[in-house]
Amino acid sequence: MAYLTLSNISKQFGDTYAVQDFNLDVEKGEFVSFLGPSGCGKTTTLRMIAGFETPTDGAIALGGADITNKPPNQRKMGMIFQSYALFPNMTVAQNIGFGLRVRKDSKADIQERVREMISLVNLEKHAEKYPYQLSGGQQQRVSLARALAIRPDVLLLDEPLSALDAKIRVSLRAQIREIQRKLGITAIFVTHDQEEALSISDRIVVMYDGNVEQVGTPFEIYNFPTTTFVANFVGSLNTAVAEVTDPAKGLLSVNGVQFSSAAKMDGLQKGDNVRIAIRPERFSFASEVRKANVVDCRIENITFLGSVVRVHMLIGNSSFTMDTFNYPSLELPRIGATEQVTCSREAVLLLEEVRANGHEPKL
Amino acid sequence: MTVSAAPTQATVKSETARAPVRKNRFWSWLIFVVGALYFLVPLAATFYWSLRAEKDKFGFEAYRRLFADTNFLPSFSESIVNAIAAILISLLIIVPTAYWVTLRLPKLRPVIEFITLLPFVIPAVVLVFGLIRLYSRPPLLLTATYDSSRILLVCVYAALSFPYMFRAVDNGLRAMDVRTLTEAAQSLGASWPTILFRVIFPNLRVALLSGALLTFAIVIGELTIALFMAQHTLGPYMANLTRSKVYEPSAMAIVAFAITWAAMGIIQLIGRGQQGQIAGGH
Ligand SMILES: Nc1ncnc2c1ncn2[C@@H]1O[C@H](COP(=O)(O)OP(=O)(O)OP(=O)(O)O)[C@@H](O)[C@H]1O
Ligand SMILES: [Mg+2]
């Protein structure tokens, strides 16, 4: 049985659902991210786990015991907020010791634990400072130490890095992950940044509009998205409507250009409309290697993105982009030229079916 | 910046901009001086008068007589005790109320704000007659003895302080992220009283002090209500003094001013210390 279990959780505010029928099992020591755009219900779900909101429906269990209606101050959930939420009237050491003083640990124990936590987050020099004397990154480390000091059952982080600048964000997320691994603590990390989620998580829960879209490892989420939303939200993506021409062989046609896909086409018939997705980095110029799909394209534009070159092209009247590594001997085609590009059958993903009446899939 | 591109234009602009500033400054100084005179002349005159108790001589004789008066110190200390009691009652009502409104019932804020403003709207004379009518007969008979009247008076003073106290506390609460701090404390295991006394109150220090000192300043010399309730506090004592003595009332007025100013000074001092902290943050 999983350590933390959310079963059919829903949360209604008035008559709108912030979260609907949310199911998740989290193993002990696992690092799970909730990923999704603004307003999709990430914070609401996290707050239900913390006990700040009560689910309208469903149950939450921790270590086999139901905690759905347990007040937040009896749950032992370490909470990290985007705004740090340090107590301004207390020093770093006092902040970290707060939870221990509240539960009336002995003075010596508190001192020992606080010292341990301070060195865990490398703030030895700042123990006697007040929060306003620290940088954002330092404040968030204090907040992490404060939450970990009480040895929480689960660590909950609500966009803890969003208020920090890019460099600190990357280094602090690595520190958070390292500490989480070292302590073997179960963690749930909320973010709307796909790169953050992909880089830090054991598993990712992609959410959209109050629903779970897909749960999987970063590898699965990125390489095998199951919905248009996930495919679009995680990484950049080419999508196009295609007509099934031979379901048994996996053949499709995008405005007359034939593609072959490794995706299962059970239940699809010749003439059905589907949506295909191809990641830009799965394309390459056919002059180098030739894979299963070789198609003609017209080069529309080329942009340099440092280590990557992004080629915008038209394939059978649909716009596609291709990302290729930048290296000094790379020969780029002229804009307006006709070239051949190639991709494997596995690169052609099949998203959901487009309805016969012409409705686009959501998004 | 385009300053280097058009240096002449820039200088012209800044000169034309400076002239009205100078003019403005003249008017603001004038207004300040007139205002200061309006305020300081009577004060200076009162002070001058308070020093003239002995014939042909400046001295503090009026102050000596004032403090020697057997009625002065008892009424003074009674007022101080009343003020402190009113402050405590006011704090214990207003802080949890304002906290809860901020945290859970933000929609109710206008209503609460209106209620706390009522003491401003209702004249003291009207208030006191209402109170006497309500509390001078059973089941709420409170005006029967001196001590029960005094309890009533303190409660009324607490109510009078609501506009100041609520505003001060509300400002203090707005300056911090009440909800997140509360939740952070909760997730660390803190109960409601712990949150209130270890997190909210300490961070409201300045707000609470300014609310308390403003309350003190109002209550210490209050006349109308104390008079109608036949209380021997500083207000009625001063009124009586004015009728019977010549120099002592002036001395009394200066003492009252000094107390009020000391209260304001303390607010300023503490406020400044705190401001440094807030300005340094984030
Ligand atoms: N207390 C509340 N009352 C009413 N509606 C709410 C409340 N809290 C959240 N909602 C609504 O629930 C939905 C989900 O909100 P939530 O804060 O969980 O989103 P989120 O995924 O955390 O978004 P963000 O990335 O912007 O933080 C939103 O539409 C929001 O407006
Ligand atoms: Mg959120």
PDB file of all heavy atoms in Angstrom, chain A residues 47 52 72-73 77 79 81 83 85-90 99 102 132 146, chain B residues 179-181 183-184 186-191 198-199 202-203 277 280-281:
ATOM      1  N   ARG A  47      -2.980  22.065  -0.696  1.00  0.00           N
ATOM      2  CA  ARG A  47      -3.553  22.582   0.548  1.00  0.00           C
ATOM      3  C   ARG A  47      -4.491  21.566   1.193  1.00  0.00           C
ATOM      4  O   ARG A  47      -4.667  21.572   2.405  1.00  0.00           O
ATOM      5  CB  ARG A  47      -4.290  23.906   0.288  1.00  0.00           C
ATOM      6  CG  ARG A  47      -3.317  25.063  -0.039  1.00  0.00           C
ATOM      7  CD  ARG A  47      -4.060  26.303  -0.496  1.00  0.00           C
ATOM      8  NE  ARG A  47      -5.001  26.762   0.497  1.00  0.00           N
ATOM      9  CZ  ARG A  47      -4.672  27.479   1.561  1.00  0.00           C
ATOM     10  NH1 ARG A  47      -3.432  27.828   1.736  1.00  0.00           N
ATOM     11  NH2 ARG A  47      -5.587  27.850   2.427  1.00  0.00           N
ATOM     12  N   PHE A  52      -5.244  22.599   4.962  1.00  0.00           N
ATOM     13  CA  PHE A  52      -5.773  23.971   4.965  1.00  0.00           C
ATOM     14  C   PHE A  52      -7.114  24.056   4.246  1.00  0.00           C
ATOM     15  O   PHE A  52      -7.836  25.031   4.401  1.00  0.00           O
ATOM     16  CB  PHE A  52      -4.786  24.937   4.312  1.00  0.00           C
ATOM     17  CG  PHE A  52      -3.465  24.982   5.011  1.00  0.00           C
ATOM     18  CD1 PHE A  52      -2.283  24.905   4.297  1.00  0.00           C
ATOM     19  CD2 PHE A  52      -3.397  25.103   6.394  1.00  0.00           C
ATOM     20  CE1 PHE A  52      -1.062  24.939   4.938  1.00  0.00           C
ATOM     21  CE2 PHE A  52      -2.175  25.130   7.042  1.00  0.00           C
ATOM     22  CZ  PHE A  52      -1.006  25.052   6.311  1.00  0.00           C
ATOM     23  N   PRO A  72      -4.666  20.933  10.383  1.00  0.00           N
ATOM     24  CA  PRO A  72      -3.306  21.032   9.828  1.00  0.00           C
ATOM     25  C   PRO A  72      -2.209  20.977  10.896  1.00  0.00           C
ATOM     26  O   PRO A  72      -1.131  20.466  10.618  1.00  0.00           O
ATOM     27  CB  PRO A  72      -3.303  22.388   9.119  1.00  0.00           C
ATOM     28  CG  PRO A  72      -4.530  23.096   9.565  1.00  0.00           C
ATOM     29  CD  PRO A  72      -5.505  22.066   9.990  1.00  0.00           C
ATOM     30  N   ASN A  73      -2.508  21.481  12.108  1.00  0.00           N
ATOM     31  CA  ASN A  73      -1.425  21.507  13.099  1.00  0.00           C
ATOM     32  C   ASN A  73      -1.189  20.147  13.756  1.00  0.00           C
ATOM     33  O   ASN A  73      -0.339  20.020  14.625  1.00  0.00           O
ATOM     34  CB  ASN A  73      -1.666  22.604  14.147  1.00  0.00           C
ATOM     35  CG  ASN A  73      -2.967  22.435  14.879  1.00  0.00           C
ATOM     36  OD1 ASN A  73      -3.790  21.577  14.528  1.00  0.00           O
ATOM     37  ND2 ASN A  73      -3.180  23.240  15.906  1.00  0.00           N
ATOM     38  N   MET A  77       2.977  17.955   8.357  1.00  0.00           N
ATOM     39  CA  MET A  77       3.307  18.184   6.957  1.00  0.00           C
ATOM     40  C   MET A  77       4.191  19.433   6.929  1.00  0.00           C
ATOM     41  O   MET A  77       3.772  20.491   7.394  1.00  0.00           O
ATOM     42  CB  MET A  77       2.047  18.480   6.144  1.00  0.00           C
ATOM     43  CG  MET A  77       1.043  17.348   6.148  1.00  0.00           C
ATOM     44  SD  MET A  77       1.489  16.142   4.904  1.00  0.00           S
ATOM     45  CE  MET A  77       0.256  14.891   5.196  1.00  0.00           C
ATOM     46  N   MET A  79       5.541  22.564   5.276  1.00  0.00           N
ATOM     47  CA  MET A  79       5.017  23.341   4.147  1.00  0.00           C
ATOM     48  C   MET A  79       6.010  24.437   3.779  1.00  0.00           C
ATOM     49  O   MET A  79       6.484  25.176   4.639  1.00  0.00           O
ATOM     50  CB  MET A  79       3.675  23.947   4.577  1.00  0.00           C
ATOM     51  CG  MET A  79       2.956  24.669   3.474  1.00  0.00           C
ATOM     52  SD  MET A  79       1.917  23.554   2.510  1.00  0.00           S
ATOM     53  CE  MET A  79       1.382  24.677   1.229  1.00  0.00           C
ATOM     54  N   PHE A  81       6.386  27.793   1.295  1.00  0.00           N
ATOM     55  CA  PHE A  81       5.573  28.709   0.502  1.00  0.00           C
ATOM     56  C   PHE A  81       6.444  29.498  -0.462  1.00  0.00           C
ATOM     57  O   PHE A  81       7.622  29.727  -0.214  1.00  0.00           O
ATOM     58  CB  PHE A  81       4.847  29.699   1.423  1.00  0.00           C
ATOM     59  CG  PHE A  81       3.939  29.046   2.422  1.00  0.00           C
ATOM     60  CD1 PHE A  81       4.431  28.589   3.633  1.00  0.00           C
ATOM     61  CD2 PHE A  81       2.584  28.898   2.162  1.00  0.00           C
ATOM     62  CE1 PHE A  81       3.592  27.987   4.562  1.00  0.00           C
ATOM     63  CE2 PHE A  81       1.746  28.299   3.077  1.00  0.00           C
ATOM     64  CZ  PHE A  81       2.243  27.847   4.284  1.00  0.00           C
ATOM     65  N   SER A  83       6.311  32.611  -0.877  1.00  0.00           N
ATOM     66  CA  SER A  83       6.722  33.871  -0.245  1.00  0.00           C
ATOM     67  C   SER A  83       7.556  33.636   1.015  1.00  0.00           C
ATOM     68  O   SER A  83       7.663  34.519   1.851  1.00  0.00           O
ATOM     69  CB  SER A  83       5.492  34.684   0.092  1.00  0.00           C
ATOM     70  OG  SER A  83       4.648  33.928   0.950  1.00  0.00           O
ATOM     71  N   ALA A  85       7.384  32.980   3.969  1.00  0.00           N
ATOM     72  CA  ALA A  85       6.589  32.941   5.191  1.00  0.00           C
ATOM     73  C   ALA A  85       7.426  32.736   6.446  1.00  0.00           C
ATOM     74  O   ALA A  85       7.033  32.027   7.362  1.00  0.00           O
ATOM     75  CB  ALA A  85       5.509  31.852   5.093  1.00  0.00           C
ATOM     76  N   LEU A  86       8.590  33.373   6.505  1.00  0.00           N
ATOM     77  CA  LEU A  86       9.370  33.333   7.743  1.00  0.00           C
ATOM     78  C   LEU A  86       8.753  34.303   8.736  1.00  0.00           C
ATOM     79  O   LEU A  86       8.175  35.311   8.346  1.00  0.00           O
ATOM     80  CB  LEU A  86      10.820  33.717   7.459  1.00  0.00           C
ATOM     81  CG  LEU A  86      11.554  32.772   6.510  1.00  0.00           C
ATOM     82  CD1 LEU A  86      12.972  33.261   6.264  1.00  0.00           C
ATOM     83  CD2 LEU A  86      11.559  31.358   7.057  1.00  0.00           C
ATOM     84  N   PHE A  87       8.889  34.000  10.025  1.00  0.00           N
ATOM     85  CA  PHE A  87       8.351  34.910  11.042  1.00  0.00           C
ATOM     86  C   PHE A  87       9.307  36.091  11.187  1.00  0.00           C
ATOM     87  O   PHE A  87      10.456  35.903  11.585  1.00  0.00           O
ATOM     88  CB  PHE A  87       8.171  34.182  12.370  1.00  0.00           C
ATOM     89  CG  PHE A  87       7.339  32.934  12.240  1.00  0.00           C
ATOM     90  CD1 PHE A  87       7.829  31.700  12.638  1.00  0.00           C
ATOM     91  CD2 PHE A  87       6.066  33.000  11.691  1.00  0.00           C
ATOM     92  CE1 PHE A  87       7.067  30.548  12.494  1.00  0.00           C
ATOM     93  CE2 PHE A  87       5.298  31.849  11.549  1.00  0.00           C
ATOM     94  CZ  PHE A  87       5.796  30.628  11.947  1.00  0.00           C
ATOM     95  N   PRO A  88       8.839  37.306  10.877  1.00  0.00           N
ATOM     96  CA  PRO A  88       9.762  38.451  10.809  1.00  0.00           C
ATOM     97  C   PRO A  88      10.355  38.824  12.169  1.00  0.00           C
ATOM     98  O   PRO A  88      11.409  39.443  12.228  1.00  0.00           O
ATOM     99  CB  PRO A  88       8.891  39.611  10.289  1.00  0.00           C
ATOM    100  CG  PRO A  88       7.542  39.048  10.018  1.00  0.00           C
ATOM    101  CD  PRO A  88       7.469  37.651  10.535  1.00  0.00           C
ATOM    102  N   ASN A  89       9.656  38.437  13.252  1.00  0.00           N
ATOM    103  CA  ASN A  89      10.135  38.832  14.580  1.00  0.00           C
ATOM    104  C   ASN A  89      11.147  37.848  15.144  1.00  0.00           C
ATOM    105  O   ASN A  89      11.597  38.004  16.268  1.00  0.00           O
ATOM    106  CB  ASN A  89       8.954  38.943  15.536  1.00  0.00           C
ATOM    107  CG  ASN A  89       8.155  37.644  15.615  1.00  0.00           C
ATOM    108  OD1 ASN A  89       7.831  37.034  14.601  1.00  0.00           O
ATOM    109  ND2 ASN A  89       7.864  37.212  16.818  1.00  0.00           N
ATOM    110  N   MET A  90      11.491  36.806  14.393  1.00  0.00           N
ATOM    111  CA  MET A  90      12.415  35.794  14.913  1.00  0.00           C
ATOM    112  C   MET A  90      13.661  35.711  14.047  1.00  0.00           C
ATOM    113  O   MET A  90      13.602  35.908  12.837  1.00  0.00           O
ATOM    114  CB  MET A  90      11.744  34.418  14.912  1.00  0.00           C
ATOM    115  CG  MET A  90      10.516  34.341  15.792  1.00  0.00           C
ATOM    116  SD  MET A  90       9.801  32.698  15.665  1.00  0.00           S
ATOM    117  CE  MET A  90       8.125  33.057  16.207  1.00  0.00           C
ATOM    118  N   GLY A  99       8.899  25.149  15.407  1.00  0.00           N
ATOM    119  CA  GLY A  99       8.092  23.927  15.497  1.00  0.00           C
ATOM    120  C   GLY A  99       8.497  23.059  16.680  1.00  0.00           C
ATOM    121  O   GLY A  99       7.658  22.375  17.277  1.00  0.00           O
ATOM    122  N   VAL A 102       7.166  24.752  19.853  1.00  0.00           N
ATOM    123  CA  VAL A 102       5.724  24.560  19.946  1.00  0.00           C
ATOM    124  C   VAL A 102       5.409  23.193  20.550  1.00  0.00           C
ATOM    125  O   VAL A 102       4.527  23.070  21.394  1.00  0.00           O
ATOM    126  CB  VAL A 102       5.073  24.684  18.545  1.00  0.00           C
ATOM    127  CG1 VAL A 102       3.670  24.104  18.540  1.00  0.00           C
ATOM    128  CG2 VAL A 102       5.041  26.137  18.115  1.00  0.00           C
ATOM    129  N   TYR A 132      14.723  39.712   7.257  1.00  0.00           N
ATOM    130  CA  TYR A 132      14.887  40.845   6.346  1.00  0.00           C
ATOM    131  C   TYR A 132      16.344  41.097   5.992  1.00  0.00           C
ATOM    132  O   TYR A 132      16.630  41.861   5.065  1.00  0.00           O
ATOM    133  CB  TYR A 132      14.247  42.111   6.928  1.00  0.00           C
ATOM    134  CG  TYR A 132      14.997  42.735   8.075  1.00  0.00           C
ATOM    135  CD1 TYR A 132      15.951  43.729   7.858  1.00  0.00           C
ATOM    136  CD2 TYR A 132      14.741  42.345   9.379  1.00  0.00           C
ATOM    137  CE1 TYR A 132      16.639  44.296   8.905  1.00  0.00           C
ATOM    138  CE2 TYR A 132      15.419  42.909  10.444  1.00  0.00           C
ATOM    139  CZ  TYR A 132      16.367  43.876  10.203  1.00  0.00           C
ATOM    140  OH  TYR A 132      17.044  44.426  11.241  1.00  0.00           O
ATOM    141  N   ARG A 146      13.343  25.056   8.485  1.00  0.00           N
ATOM    142  CA  ARG A 146      12.285  25.155   9.497  1.00  0.00           C
ATOM    143  C   ARG A 146      11.269  24.027   9.314  1.00  0.00           C
ATOM    144  O   ARG A 146      10.825  23.408  10.280  1.00  0.00           O
ATOM    145  CB  ARG A 146      11.591  26.519   9.375  1.00  0.00           C
ATOM    146  CG  ARG A 146      10.499  26.735  10.379  1.00  0.00           C
ATOM    147  CD  ARG A 146       9.865  28.097  10.217  1.00  0.00           C
ATOM    148  NE  ARG A 146       9.107  28.193   8.974  1.00  0.00           N
ATOM    149  CZ  ARG A 146       8.383  29.258   8.623  1.00  0.00           C
ATOM    150  NH1 ARG A 146       8.367  30.321   9.418  1.00  0.00           N
ATOM    151  NH2 ARG A 146       7.720  29.280   7.499  1.00  0.00           N
TER     152      ARG A 146
ATOM    153  N   ARG B 179      -2.202  35.457   6.393  1.00  0.00           N
ATOM    154  CA  ARG B 179      -2.677  34.123   6.076  1.00  0.00           C
ATOM    155  C   ARG B 179      -1.520  33.134   5.951  1.00  0.00           C
ATOM    156  O   ARG B 179      -1.543  32.055   6.533  1.00  0.00           O
ATOM    157  CB  ARG B 179      -3.471  34.166   4.764  1.00  0.00           C
ATOM    158  CG  ARG B 179      -4.130  32.862   4.474  1.00  0.00           C
ATOM    159  CD  ARG B 179      -5.078  33.020   3.313  1.00  0.00           C
ATOM    160  NE  ARG B 179      -4.785  31.956   2.368  1.00  0.00           N
ATOM    161  CZ  ARG B 179      -5.661  31.506   1.488  1.00  0.00           C
ATOM    162  NH1 ARG B 179      -6.850  32.035   1.416  1.00  0.00           N
ATOM    163  NH2 ARG B 179      -5.343  30.546   0.674  1.00  0.00           N
ATOM    164  N   THR B 180      -0.495  33.531   5.205  1.00  0.00           N
ATOM    165  CA  THR B 180       0.618  32.608   5.001  1.00  0.00           C
ATOM    166  C   THR B 180       1.369  32.351   6.304  1.00  0.00           C
ATOM    167  O   THR B 180       1.739  31.219   6.594  1.00  0.00           O
ATOM    168  CB  THR B 180       1.577  33.150   3.929  1.00  0.00           C
ATOM    169  OG1 THR B 180       0.793  33.633   2.849  1.00  0.00           O
ATOM    170  CG2 THR B 180       2.492  32.083   3.421  1.00  0.00           C
ATOM    171  N   LEU B 181       1.573  33.417   7.107  1.00  0.00           N
ATOM    172  CA  LEU B 181       2.264  33.223   8.380  1.00  0.00           C
ATOM    173  C   LEU B 181       1.461  32.282   9.272  1.00  0.00           C
ATOM    174  O   LEU B 181       2.011  31.418   9.945  1.00  0.00           O
ATOM    175  CB  LEU B 181       2.488  34.564   9.086  1.00  0.00           C
ATOM    176  CG  LEU B 181       3.546  35.473   8.464  1.00  0.00           C
ATOM    177  CD1 LEU B 181       3.719  36.736   9.297  1.00  0.00           C
ATOM    178  CD2 LEU B 181       4.873  34.750   8.342  1.00  0.00           C
ATOM    179  N   GLU B 183      -0.627  29.953   8.317  1.00  0.00           N
ATOM    180  CA  GLU B 183      -0.551  28.580   7.802  1.00  0.00           C
ATOM    181  C   GLU B 183       0.825  27.973   8.058  1.00  0.00           C
ATOM    182  O   GLU B 183       0.930  26.784   8.379  1.00  0.00           O
ATOM    183  CB  GLU B 183      -0.891  28.568   6.312  1.00  0.00           C
ATOM    184  CG  GLU B 183      -2.371  28.819   6.093  1.00  0.00           C
ATOM    185  CD  GLU B 183      -2.761  28.885   4.632  1.00  0.00           C
ATOM    186  OE1 GLU B 183      -1.871  28.865   3.767  1.00  0.00           O
ATOM    187  OE2 GLU B 183      -3.979  28.954   4.366  1.00  0.00           O
ATOM    188  N   ALA B 184       1.865  28.801   7.929  1.00  0.00           N
ATOM    189  CA  ALA B 184       3.212  28.291   8.208  1.00  0.00           C
ATOM    190  C   ALA B 184       3.275  27.813   9.656  1.00  0.00           C
ATOM    191  O   ALA B 184       3.777  26.726   9.947  1.00  0.00           O
ATOM    192  CB  ALA B 184       4.247  29.376   7.952  1.00  0.00           C
ATOM    193  N   GLN B 186       0.762  26.937  11.566  1.00  0.00           N
ATOM    194  CA  GLN B 186      -0.095  25.754  11.734  1.00  0.00           C
ATOM    195  C   GLN B 186       0.620  24.487  11.285  1.00  0.00           C
ATOM    196  O   GLN B 186       0.567  23.462  11.958  1.00  0.00           O
ATOM    197  CB  GLN B 186      -1.366  25.909  10.898  1.00  0.00           C
ATOM    198  CG  GLN B 186      -2.480  26.632  11.613  1.00  0.00           C
ATOM    199  CD  GLN B 186      -3.707  26.713  10.721  1.00  0.00           C
ATOM    200  OE1 GLN B 186      -3.635  27.123   9.575  1.00  0.00           O
ATOM    201  NE2 GLN B 186      -4.833  26.299  11.248  1.00  0.00           N
ATOM    202  N   SER B 187       1.295  24.574  10.123  1.00  0.00           N
ATOM    203  CA  SER B 187       1.940  23.372   9.609  1.00  0.00           C
ATOM    204  C   SER B 187       3.091  22.948  10.522  1.00  0.00           C
ATOM    205  O   SER B 187       3.524  21.814  10.486  1.00  0.00           O
ATOM    206  CB  SER B 187       2.431  23.589   8.176  1.00  0.00           C
ATOM    207  OG  SER B 187       3.547  24.432   8.165  1.00  0.00           O
ATOM    208  N   LEU B 188       3.576  23.873  11.340  1.00  0.00           N
ATOM    209  CA  LEU B 188       4.638  23.529  12.285  1.00  0.00           C
ATOM    210  C   LEU B 188       4.059  23.067  13.623  1.00  0.00           C
ATOM    211  O   LEU B 188       4.779  22.889  14.592  1.00  0.00           O
ATOM    212  CB  LEU B 188       5.570  24.729  12.497  1.00  0.00           C
ATOM    213  CG  LEU B 188       6.392  25.107  11.263  1.00  0.00           C
ATOM    214  CD1 LEU B 188       7.020  26.475  11.423  1.00  0.00           C
ATOM    215  CD2 LEU B 188       7.468  24.062  10.997  1.00  0.00           C
ATOM    216  N   GLY B 189       2.742  22.923  13.659  1.00  0.00           N
ATOM    217  CA  GLY B 189       2.112  22.340  14.839  1.00  0.00           C
ATOM    218  C   GLY B 189       1.498  23.330  15.812  1.00  0.00           C
ATOM    219  O   GLY B 189       1.021  22.939  16.875  1.00  0.00           O
ATOM    220  N   ALA B 190       1.509  24.628  15.482  1.00  0.00           N
ATOM    221  CA  ALA B 190       1.037  25.629  16.438  1.00  0.00           C
ATOM    222  C   ALA B 190      -0.489  25.660  16.520  1.00  0.00           C
ATOM    223  O   ALA B 190      -1.186  25.517  15.521  1.00  0.00           O
ATOM    224  CB  ALA B 190       1.552  27.001  16.030  1.00  0.00           C
ATOM    225  N   SER B 191      -1.011  25.852  17.745  1.00  0.00           N
ATOM    226  CA  SER B 191      -2.450  25.995  17.965  1.00  0.00           C
ATOM    227  C   SER B 191      -2.820  27.464  17.813  1.00  0.00           C
ATOM    228  O   SER B 191      -1.947  28.327  17.714  1.00  0.00           O
ATOM    229  CB  SER B 191      -2.789  25.519  19.364  1.00  0.00           C
ATOM    230  OG  SER B 191      -2.070  26.304  20.289  1.00  0.00           O
ATOM    231  N   ARG B 198       2.486  34.115  19.767  1.00  0.00           N
ATOM    232  CA  ARG B 198       3.906  34.026  19.380  1.00  0.00           C
ATOM    233  C   ARG B 198       4.172  34.611  18.000  1.00  0.00           C
ATOM    234  O   ARG B 198       5.306  34.945  17.685  1.00  0.00           O
ATOM    235  CB  ARG B 198       4.362  32.569  19.377  1.00  0.00           C
ATOM    236  CG  ARG B 198       4.333  31.953  20.735  1.00  0.00           C
ATOM    237  CD  ARG B 198       5.667  31.318  21.059  1.00  0.00           C
ATOM    238  NE  ARG B 198       5.541  30.499  22.237  1.00  0.00           N
ATOM    239  CZ  ARG B 198       5.966  29.250  22.299  1.00  0.00           C
ATOM    240  NH1 ARG B 198       6.547  28.710  21.248  1.00  0.00           N
ATOM    241  NH2 ARG B 198       5.835  28.564  23.396  1.00  0.00           N
ATOM    242  N   VAL B 199       3.147  34.657  17.164  1.00  0.00           N
ATOM    243  CA  VAL B 199       3.388  35.139  15.799  1.00  0.00           C
ATOM    244  C   VAL B 199       2.681  36.470  15.543  1.00  0.00           C
ATOM    245  O   VAL B 199       3.312  37.443  15.143  1.00  0.00           O
ATOM    246  CB  VAL B 199       2.945  34.088  14.745  1.00  0.00           C
ATOM    247  CG1 VAL B 199       3.140  34.625  13.338  1.00  0.00           C
ATOM    248  CG2 VAL B 199       3.713  32.796  14.939  1.00  0.00           C
ATOM    249  N   PRO B 202       3.520  39.588  18.443  1.00  0.00           N
ATOM    250  CA  PRO B 202       4.869  40.170  18.331  1.00  0.00           C
ATOM    251  C   PRO B 202       5.073  40.971  17.055  1.00  0.00           C
ATOM    252  O   PRO B 202       5.776  41.980  17.063  1.00  0.00           O
ATOM    253  CB  PRO B 202       5.782  38.946  18.342  1.00  0.00           C
ATOM    254  CG  PRO B 202       4.991  37.859  18.941  1.00  0.00           C
ATOM    255  CD  PRO B 202       3.565  38.128  18.613  1.00  0.00           C
ATOM    256  N   ASN B 203       4.453  40.547  15.975  1.00  0.00           N
ATOM    257  CA  ASN B 203       4.637  41.277  14.721  1.00  0.00           C
ATOM    258  C   ASN B 203       3.754  42.504  14.621  1.00  0.00           C
ATOM    259  O   ASN B 203       3.878  43.302  13.703  1.00  0.00           O
ATOM    260  CB  ASN B 203       4.417  40.353  13.534  1.00  0.00           C
ATOM    261  CG  ASN B 203       5.575  39.404  13.354  1.00  0.00           C
ATOM    262  OD1 ASN B 203       6.713  39.827  13.246  1.00  0.00           O
ATOM    263  ND2 ASN B 203       5.289  38.124  13.388  1.00  0.00           N
ATOM    264  N   GLN B 277      13.482  47.972   9.797  1.00  0.00           N
ATOM    265  CA  GLN B 277      13.399  46.528   9.570  1.00  0.00           C
ATOM    266  C   GLN B 277      12.614  46.223   8.318  1.00  0.00           C
ATOM    267  O   GLN B 277      13.037  45.448   7.483  1.00  0.00           O
ATOM    268  CB  GLN B 277      12.674  45.855  10.741  1.00  0.00           C
ATOM    269  CG  GLN B 277      13.542  45.678  11.937  1.00  0.00           C
ATOM    270  CD  GLN B 277      12.833  44.856  12.991  1.00  0.00           C
ATOM    271  OE1 GLN B 277      11.849  44.206  12.741  1.00  0.00           O
ATOM    272  NE2 GLN B 277      13.363  44.917  14.196  1.00  0.00           N
ATOM    273  N   GLY B 280      14.262  47.179   5.084  1.00  0.00           N
ATOM    274  CA  GLY B 280      15.377  46.315   4.727  1.00  0.00           C
ATOM    275  C   GLY B 280      14.941  44.987   4.128  1.00  0.00           C
ATOM    276  O   GLY B 280      15.700  44.327   3.467  1.00  0.00           O
ATOM    277  N   GLY B 281      13.691  44.618   4.386  1.00  0.00           N
ATOM    278  CA  GLY B 281      13.212  43.291   3.974  1.00  0.00           C
ATOM    279  C   GLY B 281      12.987  43.165   2.485  1.00  0.00           C
ATOM    280  O   GLY B 281      12.832  44.160   1.790  1.00  0.00           O
TER     281      GLY B 281
END
